[in-house]
Amino acid sequence: AQTVTQSQPEMSVQEAETVTLSCTYDTSESNYYLFWYKQPPSRQMILVIRQEAYKQQNATENRFSVNFQKAAKSFSLKISDSQLGDTAMYFCAYRTQGGSEKLVFGKGTKLTVNP
Amino acid sequence: DGGITQSPKYLFRKEGQNVTLSCEQNLNHDAMYWYRQDPGQGLRLIYYSQIVNDFQKGDIAEGYSVSREKKESFPLTVTSAQKNPTAFYLCASRPGHMDSNQPQHFGDGTRLSIL
């Protein structure tokens, strides 16, 4: 079974600085998807960024980018120019291609952006 | 606007009582999912359905039941057999297998507590 590990339960960063959240996963599959979701205090799950395993190019979405290392099974999220609104829980998730296509989540990293 | 509606936002259960959480989507998605979130944990899959009139158990299905009589609706019943139902419940949906690169979209969640 696939597992996702987020080794940083909590992190903090100063406004306008850059922070990187770590995620590793375990799988024997070659085709899959990886996601970062943000959960602010409102508890809504918001998609931040996604990466297809077959793509070597790292995904970017405005201030958010990933460092995808397939061989190392690592999928870190970099947030540039951190804003107060980035304060949230961040979850890394893995999804198989085909089958149930369920999401397997890590336990999350609580990020606090300080003014 | 298209989206996923979960109701109620807060729900209280008495001992021995069954309660039903509603999930409705107008995104024309084939697949729907129920996840449970406990404090300090990521989301865990309870049940999923990839097509009307069919559903499958997830990782923690004991004490729960679902139905999928309509494409738009995927209600979750928390039965009296679920001894620790206090949690935050999230419903999600996504297009079917033909759109495998599409992410899951989430509702705003239901907070269930024991009286």
Side-chain angles (χ1 to χ4, degrees):
Chain A
Q2 296 83 16
T3 58
V4 176
T5 302
Q6 294 179 249
S7 59
Q8 305 150 315
E10 293 191 39
M11 293 191 72
S12 63
V13 63
Q14 292 299 121
E15 195 174 7
E17 293 187 347
T18 296
V19 63
T20 299
L21 309 183
S22 300
C23 173
T24 59
Y25 58 95
D26 187 28
T27 184
S28 58
E29 299 175 334
S30 58
N31 293 324
Y32 49 88
Y33 298 88
L34 296 165
F35 303 86
W36 278 98
Y37 280 90
K38 167 185 176 180
Q39 189 178 43
S42 65
R43 306 296 297 271
Q44 186 181 15
M45 292 292 284
I46 302 166
L47 178 67
V48 175
I49 199 165
R50 63 182 171 184
Q51 174 82 42
E52 291 94 336
Y54 63 87
K55 290 186 177 180
Q56 293 186 339
Q57 186 174 4
N58 290 324
T60 61
E61 286 287 343
N62 300 314
R63 298 183 295 108
F64 299 88
S65 61
V66 298
N67 183 4
F68 173 49
Q69 302 289 327
K70 190 172 183 180
K73 297 179 182 176
S74 172
F75 183 60
S76 62
L77 174 69
K78 185 172 81 172
I79 305 174
S80 303
D81 186 25
S82 296
Q83 299 176 359
L84 296 178
D86 294 334
T87 293
M89 284 290 291
Y90 286 82
F91 292 95
C92 179
Y94 170 103
R95 197 189 85 200
T96 58
Q97 186 175 14
S100 71
E101 298 189 329
K102 71 176 185 181
L103 289 169
V104 177
F105 286 86
K107 292 187 176 182
T109 296
K110 182 178 181 181
L111 176 67
T112 302
V113 180
N114 299 308
Chain B
D1 289 337
I4 301 173
T5 301
Q6 289 188 243
S7 62
K9 193 173 180 68
Y10 300 97
L11 187 59
F12 297 91
R13 195 192 89 168
K14 296 179 181 178
E15 192 172 341
Q17 183 182 44
N18 294 351
V19 292
T20 297
L21 285 62
S22 170
C23 178
E24 303 278 334
Q25 54 99 359
N26 60 4
L27 300 166
N28 199 33
H29 286 172
D30 289 319
M32 298 186 73
Y33 304 80
W34 274 106
Y35 293 91
R36 169 179 171 143
Q37 185 178 24
D38 294 285
Q41 301 289 326
L43 281 65
R44 292 182 292 166
L45 182 67
I46 304 171
Y47 267 98
Y48 66 97
S49 168
Q50 293 178 297
I51 196 170
V52 175
N53 292 322
D54 186 54
F55 49 83
Q56 305 295 329
K57 292 182 179 180
D59 301 317
I60 54 167
E62 185 175 354
Y64 299 96
S65 65
V66 293
S67 63
R68 187 86 187 277
E69 297 177 0
K70 299 186 300 181
K71 188 175 185 177
E72 304 80 18
S73 179
F74 191 42
L76 173 73
T77 297
V78 184
T79 74
S80 57
Q82 173 50 245
K83 298 306 180 187
N84 185 23
T86 297
F88 188 62
Y89 292 85
L90 282 157
C91 178
S93 72
R94 61 177 300 279
H97 288 301
M98 297 301 290
D99 297 290
S100 61
N101 65 340
Q102 293 302 308
Q104 290 185 13
H105 298 264
F106 286 84
D108 289 342
T110 293
R111 177 73 184 174
L112 175 62
S113 302
I114 294 294
L115 280 179

